[in-house]
Amino acid sequence: MTDVTPPAYYIAPRCEEELQILHVDDDLIVVNKPAFLYTVPGRGPENSDSVITRLQPDYPEAVIVHRLDLDTSGLLVVARSERARQVLSQQIRDREIQKTYQAVVWGIIEQDEGEINLPIGKDWENRPRCKIDYEEGKASLTYFTVEQRNPDTHRTLVTLKPVTGRQHQLRLHLKSIGHPILGCDLYAHDEALQAEPRLMLHACGLAFKHPDGQMVSWDVKNDWGLD
């Protein structure tokens, strides 16, 4: 009898979208990652498809320096040289890389702009979730700007600028003010989860100092208008 025991780990849906390469030079590559593509291979052979495995046949020297969650789409910079790896990694540690995100959230955010300043820690009993933790959590800060509201569909489109880079920071911060990101399988309530077939979170802006010393930036927004 054939063993049909399922693997003891999550298998991601197959990503049929292409990885969009926006820029290549001797030091780095900038890509626009589709949703449901790992940044690096996940657990098990079924989860081997990723940004790095798609790049390395043509760029075997490519090295990942930061990541996006599986179901988050958007901009990533990948190092091609050792100096780029060091320079970019240092900017990440020093919070000098500027990242901007788009999100569509549940409900109507009344403020035009604001900040969410809530400490985040691991939720060990509900892994891989995190939680707001005032005792042991790490300081976490997100700025937001409302771009569009649609009361008829009960949605708000926001631009997000995280100052810190905690795990699930944007998802958890928005959920904590009562506006979970649509399609979020970790923090959204059922109605918000079922509202979209994917997590409505996109890394739309990226700016940093190139290893040659010049400031560079990319801006790739999704067409998530609420009309």
Side-chain angles (χ1 to χ4, degrees), residues 85-96:
R85 187 194 67 78
Q86 293 181 5
V87 168
L88 293 169
S89 296
Q90 186 64 49
Q91 290 182 68
I92 291 169
R93 286 193 294 270
D94 294 341
R95 301 179 185 173
E96 293 176 346

Side-chain angles (χ1 to χ4, degrees), residues 40-70:
V40 298
R43 183 181 178 187
E46 302 92 342
N47 293 324
S48 62
D49 189 22
S50 67
V51 169
I52 196 64
T53 54
R54 291 191 185 188
L55 287 175
Q56 284 183 333
D58 294 320
Y59 307 100
E61 71 286 352
V63 177
I64 295 295
V65 291
H66 70 117
R67 305 185 187 191
L68 291 175
D69 287 347
L70 170 68

Side-chain angles (χ1 to χ4, degrees), residues 12 20-21 63 75 108 112 122 125 133 174 182 200 221:
Q20 184 182 10
I21 297 177
V63 177
L75 293 166
I108 302 301
D112 290 336
K122 300 290 187 181
E125 296 181 357
D133 187 341
L174 287 162
L182 301 186
M200 297 296 281
K221 291 184 178 179

